[in-house]
Amino acid sequence: MAIKKSDLYSSLWASCDQLRGGMDASQYKDYVLFMLFIKYITDKYADSDDFAPPVVIPPGASFKDMIALKGKSDIGDKINTQIIGPLVNANARLSKSDFPDFNDPNKLGEGQDMVEKLSNLIGIFQKPELDFSKNRAEHDDILGDAYEYLMRHFATESGKSKGQFYTPSEVSRVIAKVVGISPDNTNARTTAYDPTCGSGSLLLKVAAEAGKPPINLEGQEKDVTTAGLARMNMILHDFPTATILSGNTLAAPKFKDGEQLRTYDYVVANPPFSDKTWSTGLTPGDDAYQRFVWGEPPAKQGDYAYLLHIIRSLKANGKAACILPHGVLFRGNAEAVIRQQLVRSGYLKGIIGLPANLFYGTGIPACILVIDKENATARKGVFMLDAAKGFIKDGNKNRLREQDIHKIVDTFSKQADVPRYARMVPFDEIADPKNDFNLNLPRYIDSSEPEDIQDINGHLNGGIPERDLDALADYWRVLPGVRAALFSPRLEESAAKQSNQPSPFGRGQGEGTEINVLLYSDSPHPNPLQQERERPGYAQLTLPLAEVKPAIFGHAEFTAFNAQATERFQGWRHATTPLLTGFGKDSHPKALIETIAEDLLNTFKPAPLLDAYDIYQHLMDYWAETMQDDCYLISADGWVAQPTRIVETDKKGKTKDKGWVCDLIPKPYIVARYFAEEQAAIEAKQAELETATASQTELEEEHNGEDAIFSGYDNINAAAVKDRIKELGKDPDGADELKVLKQWLELGNQISGLKKQIKEAEAVLDQKAYEKYPTLSEAEIKTLVIDDKWMAHLSAAVQGELDRVSQTLTGRIRQLAERYATPLPQLEDEAAALAVRVAEHLKKMGVVWP
C-alpha cells in the first residue's frame, strides 16, 4: 500500500531529529539531503537496465551497502570512502565538495555517539514509506515535493543569515509563470539559466512550466555546498543533465561562448539582496562582458549589478524575471541613472510588488522585475501590480496562498487593469518630471482601502448617509429590493421629536421600534408624520437591527442569488464527477487538481458578490489537507479502502491493538451511509446520559451549601453515599437527606447503565463498520469518497462563502445604524434629564449642587 504524502514528509523530518541536537539546521540539512539523494538514486538507478543511466552507482556504493555499515565503529569513514568517493569518481557531474563529511566528530560526535547517530539515520531511510522505486519523480514529482518540504523547514530553522539558499516555492512558481515559458513555446533546444541558483528550486519551477521534452538548465552558485544541493536537487527532480557550476557569477561567470557571456531564452534569479561585496574580484568600469554600459551600480548596493548581468545574458528575444528589494524601484544617484536607461530600453515589461517577510534571508519587501526583450521597441509602458496585501501568516513568515499566486499570474498575463491592484502605466507618466523615472508602486497604484469617513451632519441630526449606502453598490446591483426593504428616506428630526416617541434604537443598541411602527405601518389612515419634510442624502432603517439579517436571508432576491451560486457549484460538480470517477491507479494527482481547480475558478468568476479566488482557495486548502493524500493513495493502489489495525509496541516489545483506521474512507462516512440507525440510537443514549449527568450535578449543587447534605463530602461518590445511607438507617430526622441521597444514587446507577450500554453499542457498531469495508464495491467506494467526503466538504465551503456575503452586508448596516442612531440633540436631552435626576438625588441627601 502506498504511503501518504504527509506521512512521507513526517518520516523525512523525523530523520532530522537524529541530528538536530548537535548542529545548526544549515549544517544538518546537508546530511539529511544526502541520505534522501542516495536512497533515491539507489531505488531508481541501482538496478537500471539503461545503457547509459543518468547516474552511475558503482558496486558497493548504494544505499543497500550503507545499511551493511550500521553499527560499525568506522561507519563515518566508510561512508566517505566506500559510498561517496566511488559515486563522485563515477559521475562527472558530482563533486566531493557536494557532500558533507560523515566522519566529522565536531558535528556528529565521537566514537559510539557518531555510530549511533549515523546508524539511526540510515535506519529511518530503511522505512517502507521511503521506498522510492514506485514513487518515481516523473509521477507527480513526489520526491521533488519531499525535497521542497525539507528545504522549506531547513530554511525556517536556519534563521535570518543562513536561509538564503532557498526561494519559497510559491514565489518560484509566480516567477516561472510570469516569465512566459510554456509547452507551447519551448522545445528540447530551449535554454534557461539562473546566475545565482542557490539550491536550484527556481530553475526547476521554470522547467516544470516548460513541460516535456525537458529544456536545458544551467545555473551558477557561489556557495560550494549549496551548489552541491542544487546538483542533487536536479537529479531528484529527474533533471540529471542540468549543469550547475560553482563560482562567483559577477566576477567569474562560468557559462560563456568564447569570451562572451552565453545568452539564453529564459533567465530567472533571486540574487542576494543589496549585496555589499558584489564588486569583489571585478573592475566594473573595465568589465570584459560590457554589462555596465548603462552605468555602474553603487559599491555597496549590488542589486542592479545582477540585473544588468541578467539582461546581458538574454538572447535578442529572451525573457527574464528577477527578485530584487523594493529599493531598486526608487533609490537615487547611480541607480536612478540605470533605472532610466532600463525604462527607456523598453525591456522592462512589468513590476510585481510582493508582501513583506516572504523570504528566509530577510524580512524586507521585495518585487519581481519582468524583463522581455521581444517587442521592446513597441512597448508603450510598464505593467505594475501591487500584490503586497495578498498573503497568509505561516509561523514567523508570510506565505503566498494559492489564490494569491493565481491572481497575480492571471492579472499579469492579461495585462488587465484592476482597481487598487494593477494597471498599465504609460512611459509618459513614468518620465513626467513629478515622477522622474521613480518606479515606486504607490506612486501609480493606490492600494489603500477607501477611508470610512464619519458624517458630522449624521451625528448631529441622525440618519445614515446615502453616500455610505451607495458605497455598497455591488450588493444593491444584485439585491436592489433589499435596499428598498431595509431603508427609507430620513425624516427631519423635529418630526421624531413631535411624535414623543423614543429613538428607534434607544441608546444606540437597536432596541425600541415604536417610531418605525408609526412611520411604516400599513394602516389605511394617513400618518401625520409622513407629511414631515424628508432630509435629502440621509436614510433610516425600517426594521430593528435584530431583524435585518433575517430580512436579508429571507428576501426573494437573496434566495435567488443563493440558488444561482448553488447552481453554479452543482454544474461544476456534475462536470467534475466524471473526472474524479475516471481517476485511478497510475493517474496523476497534480494534473487532476490543476484541471478541476481551474474549472472551479472559471465557474465562479462571473458570479456576483463572490470572490472566485476565495472559493478556489477552499478547494486548494482541502487538497493540501485531505484530497492530495487520497489521490496519491488511489494513484498507487486504485479505489481500495482497506482498514489497517493500529498496533503499538512498547519498550519491552509488547504489542497492543489500539483499534483501526482507514485513511481513504474514515469510519464516520461508513457509519453515516450504512449504519445511521445504529448511530442515532447511540446518540439518543448519549443524550439520556447527558440529561442524567446534568440532573446529578444539579442535585449536588442544590445541596452543597453550608451545612447542606453534600457539604461534608471530600469526594461525592457512590461508596461515600452508600455509607451515609447506612449511617442514617431509619432515623426519622434524616428522611429528607435519605430521599436526596437515594435520588443521587439512582441517577448514578442510571449513568453507569447508560455508559455501559453506549460502550457496548459503540463496540458493536465499530465491528459492523470494520466488517463493511471488504464488502464495498468500487462504485460504493467512489460514492463514499467523491460524494460523501470530497463534495460534501466543498459544498459546505461554498455555502460558507454565501453566508459571508450576508454577514458582511449585515455587519456594515449594523455599524452604520449604530453609528448614527443617537443624534446630538437627543444626547443633549438625555444628558439634561440625567442631570436633573442627579440633582434631585443630591437634594434628598441634603446637598445642593450649584
Side-chain angles (χ1 to χ4, degrees):
M1 187 172 182
I3 188 71
K4 295 192 299 181
K5 257 193 167 186
S6 55
D7 288 347
L8 166 65
Y9 295 169
S10 60
S11 293
L12 288 173
W13 195 236
S15 67
C16 305
D17 290 332
Q18 297 298 325
L19 303 170
R20 187 173 283 115
M23 64 189 95
D24 182 77
S26 61
Q27 297 174 322
Y28 71 69
K29 75 176 190 304
D30 302 331
Y31 292 94
V32 174
L33 291 173
F34 172 75
M35 295 300 297
L36 178 64
F37 174 75
I38 188 71
K39 181 67 168 70
Y40 172 71
I41 61 172
T42 297
D43 287 349
K44 184 161 185 180
Y45 300 119
D47 300 318
S48 175
D49 295 328
D50 293 352
F51 174 71
V55 181
V56 175
I57 304 176
S62 74
F63 178 75
K64 293 172 184 175
D65 299 300
M66 286 183 78
I67 295 172
L69 300 176
K70 286 171 65 177
K72 294 192 174 180
S73 60
D74 58 351
I75 182 173
D77 178 63
K78 285 287 197 291
I79 292 175
N80 284 344
T81 57
Q82 295 183 7
I83 307 295
I84 294 176
L87 263 179
V88 169
N89 294 335
N91 294 276
R93 292 179 184 274
L94 299 178
S95 166
K96 180 74 171 68
S97 61
D98 293 352
F99 306 117
D101 179 2
F102 275 81
N103 200 33
D104 185 343
N106 294 322
K107 293 180 181 178
L108 296 169
E110 298 185 69
Q112 191 59 27
D113 185 20
M114 178 188 288
V115 172
E116 287 184 9
K117 274 184 182 172
L118 292 179
S119 297
N120 290 340
L121 190 61
I122 293 169
I124 286 174
F125 282 83
Q126 284 181 265
K127 287 183 177 182
E129 56 262 39
L130 297 181
D131 177 5
F132 302 129
S133 58
K134 296 177 182 176
N135 295 320
R136 297 191 174 190
E138 60 264 34
H139 285 298
D140 277 299
D141 203 18
I142 193 166
L143 254 292
D145 287 351
Y147 189 89
E148 287 283 345
Y149 168 85
L150 285 173
M151 294 299 276
R152 179 189 290 281
H153 279 72
F154 290 138
T156 301
E157 289 210 350
S158 294
K160 188 170 182 179
S161 62
K162 299 173 184 175
Q164 296 182 3
F165 55 81
Y166 176 67
T167 302
S169 61
E170 298 83 10
V171 180
S172 296
R173 284 166 55 201
V174 170
I175 287 178
K177 288 176 183 293
V178 299
V179 81
I181 195 167
S182 74
D184 297 332
N185 56 23
T186 58
N187 53 49
R189 295 184 302 278
T190 301
T191 55
Y193 166 62
D194 185 342
T196 58
C197 71
S199 55
S201 59
L202 189 46
L203 264 182
L204 287 164
K205 290 292 187 295
V206 171
E209 287 298 314
K212 300 285 185 181
I215 61 173
N216 296 291
L217 303 180
E218 294 183 340
Q220 186 165 341
E221 170 53 40
K222 188 175 182 179
D223 184 84
V224 174
T225 304
T226 305
L229 292 182
R231 278 186 277 269
M232 286 192 287
N233 200 4
M234 295 297 152
I235 293 170
L236 289 173
H237 279 80
D238 213 28
F239 278 91
T241 58
T243 303
I244 306 294
L245 299 177
S246 303
N248 185 326
T249 292
L250 295 181
K254 295 292 178 70
F255 294 97
K256 297 186 289 187
D257 289 326
E259 293 306 310
Q260 295 301 311
L261 293 179
R262 184 172 299 168
T263 56
Y264 297 87
D265 298 302
Y266 298 93
V267 180
V268 291
N270 179 16
F273 284 2
S274 302
D275 186 355
K276 291 179 171 53
T277 60
W278 70 271
S279 59
T280 302
L282 174 67
T283 307
D286 186 28
D287 180 46
Y289 310 106
Q290 300 172 325
R291 290 171 289 187
F292 309 114
V293 293
W294 284 354
E296 187 177 320
K300 300 294 186 183
Q301 300 279 9
D303 302 307
Y304 273 104
Y306 289 101
L307 184 65
L308 292 172
H309 175 87
I310 288 168
I311 291 172
R312 196 70 180 167
S313 300
L314 280 175
K315 291 181 178 178
N317 62 347
K319 298 166 176 58
C322 179
I323 303 169
L324 293 172
H326 261 213
V328 301
L329 303 178
F330 54 79
R331 291 192 298 242
N333 303 318
E335 291 187 321
V337 174
I338 300 172
R339 188 165 56 244
Q340 183 171 336
Q341 293 280 14
L342 173 64
V343 173
R344 290 195 183 283
S345 72
Y347 293 166
L348 184 60
K349 179 179 181 180
I351 303 167
I352 298 169
L354 296 172
N357 202 28
L358 285 182
F359 298 92
Y360 295 98
T362 177
I364 65 173
C367 59
I368 300 171
L369 267 56
V370 183
I371 306 294
D372 188 353
K373 285 189 173 181
E374 192 172 18
N375 300 322
T377 55
R379 196 158 281 128
K380 303 297 182 186
V382 177
F383 188 74
M384 298 189 186
L385 189 156
D386 187 352
K389 294 183 178 178
F391 64 90
I392 190 172
K393 288 290 295 179
D394 185 9
N396 62 351
K397 306 301 293 181
N398 294 333
R399 180 166 56 83
L400 296 176
R401 298 165 295 181
E402 292 294 331
Q403 70 182 87
D404 302 319
I405 297 169
H406 212 301
K407 187 176 180 181
I408 291 169
V409 174
D410 284 353
T411 308
F412 193 88
S413 300
K414 295 171 185 172
Q415 303 275 287
D417 283 9
V418 178
R420 303 206 306 276
Y421 187 71
R423 61 181 283 249
M424 175 63 75
V425 181
F427 286 138
D428 290 347
E429 187 176 345
I430 296 170
D432 188 285
K434 71 176 182 182
N435 292 319
D436 193 25
F437 294 92
N438 184 319
L439 299 175
N440 200 18
L441 295 177
R443 283 177 174 261
Y444 308 96
I445 301 170
D446 181 5
S447 61
S448 61
E449 292 295 323
E451 188 179 355
D452 187 7
I453 299 171
Q454 300 278 339
D455 188 289
I456 299 300
N457 203 317
H459 282 296
L460 290 173
N461 299 305
I464 300 170
E466 293 278 5
R467 179 195 63 220
D468 287 328
L469 296 181
D470 292 342
L472 300 169
D474 288 346
Y475 291 94
W476 309 138
R477 272 193 289 273
V478 181
L479 311 168
V482 172
R483 179 173 185 173
L486 294 179
F487 299 99
S488 67
R490 174 75 176 183
L491 297 182
E492 288 288 2
E493 187 58 34
S494 59
K497 281 191 172 185
Q498 291 167 15
S499 72
N500 292 319
Q501 298 290 348
S503 161
F505 304 111
R507 297 177 58 81
Q509 299 303 312
E511 297 171 354
T513 60
E514 293 88 350
I515 190 169
N516 288 329
V517 173
L518 286 173
L519 290 173
Y520 302 103
S521 92
D522 294 327
S523 168
H525 304 293
N527 190 323
L529 294 180
Q530 296 280 9
Q531 310 305 315
E532 294 294 337
R533 190 158 51 90
E534 294 176 357
R535 194 150 68 85
Y538 294 86
Q540 60 190 26
L541 269 172
T542 62
L543 296 169
L545 275 177
E547 295 178 20
V548 168
K549 187 171 182 178
I552 294 172
F553 263 105
H555 199 281
E557 289 173 351
F558 189 79
T559 303
F561 160 74
N562 237 326
Q564 288 166 7
T566 303
E567 191 176 324
R568 284 183 184 278
F569 177 76
Q570 293 303 336
W572 172 80
R573 177 175 182 166
H574 181 74
T576 302
T577 297
L579 295 176
L580 299 177
T581 55
F583 186 86
K585 195 168 183 177
D586 296 326
S587 293
H588 291 233
K590 283 188 178 177
L592 174 71
I593 188 58
E594 284 172 10
T595 300
I596 67 173
E598 211 57 34
D599 288 347
L600 183 65
L601 183 66
N602 292 330
T603 296
F604 277 93
K605 273 185 176 177
L609 300 183
L610 294 169
D611 187 330
Y613 290 101
D614 284 342
I615 292 173
Y616 168 83
Q617 185 66 39
H618 281 297
L619 173 56
M620 298 310 292
D621 285 345
Y622 187 56
W623 173 260
E625 294 162 8
T626 300
M627 277 187 74
Q628 176 177 237
D629 278 342
D630 289 348
C631 287
Y632 273 92
L633 292 176
I634 295 165
S635 176
D637 303 323
W639 291 90
V640 177
Q642 184 65 45
T644 54
R645 306 300 308 187
I646 304 169
V647 179
E648 288 186 358
T649 305
D650 62 20
K651 292 180 180 179
K652 295 180 180 179
K654 292 184 70 176
T655 60
K656 186 175 182 180
D657 191 326
K658 303 286 286 186
W660 55 273
V661 67
C662 180
D663 290 319
L664 188 61
I665 307 176
K667 175 182 165 183
Y669 296 101
I670 291 286
V671 170
R673 180 164 281 272
Y674 298 107
F675 305 108
E677 287 185 15
E678 290 89 334
Q679 182 63 32
I682 290 172
E683 289 170 0
K685 290 289 183 187
Q686 286 171 333
E688 284 184 52
L689 175 61
E690 288 169 11
T691 301
T693 304
S695 297
Q696 191 181 53
T697 303
E698 190 178 327
L699 192 67
E700 290 172 6
E701 291 173 352
E702 183 183 347
H703 298 280
N704 204 19
E706 194 173 342
D707 297 328
I709 292 171
F710 292 114
S711 61
Y713 287 73
D714 293 330
N715 184 22
I716 306 173
N717 55 47
V721 171
K722 287 176 182 177
D723 287 345
R724 179 58 181 160
I725 290 173
K726 280 183 183 178
E727 282 179 26
L728 288 171
K730 297 182 180 180
D731 183 355
D733 293 335
D736 290 340
E737 182 180 354
L738 200 60
K739 182 180 178 183
V740 171
L741 293 176
K742 287 183 176 179
Q743 186 181 352
W744 187 95
L745 209 55
E746 187 180 333
L747 285 167
N749 292 334
Q750 186 181 347
I751 289 168
S752 299
L754 286 167
K755 283 182 177 178
K756 183 181 179 184
Q757 291 172 35
I758 290 169
K759 186 177 180 180
E760 290 172 352
E762 285 179 337
V764 170
L765 178 56
D766 185 74
Q767 188 61 29
K768 283 185 176 181
Y770 184 74
E771 292 171 354
K772 183 66 182 176
Y773 284 93
T775 73
L776 294 174
S777 66
E778 184 172 300
E780 286 176 308
I781 293 172
K782 288 180 176 180
T783 297
L784 283 159
V785 174
I786 297 171
D787 293 341
D788 298 2
K789 188 179 181 183
W790 295 348
M791 287 300 176
H793 177 92
L794 295 172
S795 179
V798 171
Q799 187 57 51
E801 288 299 316
L802 293 172
D803 293 345
R804 195 165 70 170
V805 170
S806 168
Q807 289 161 1
T808 303
L809 179 58
T810 303
R812 179 58 174 165
I813 291 171
R814 171 180 288 276
Q815 183 185 44
L816 292 171
E818 291 181 344
R819 178 181 295 172
Y820 299 109
T822 313
L824 183 61
Q826 184 180 332
L827 287 174
E828 290 174 338
D829 290 348
E830 290 177 0
L834 289 171
V836 170
R837 289 176 63 189
V838 170
E840 288 174 351
H841 284 300
L842 289 172
K843 188 176 180 180
K844 288 177 181 177
M845 290 188 291
V847 179
V848 178
W849 193 257

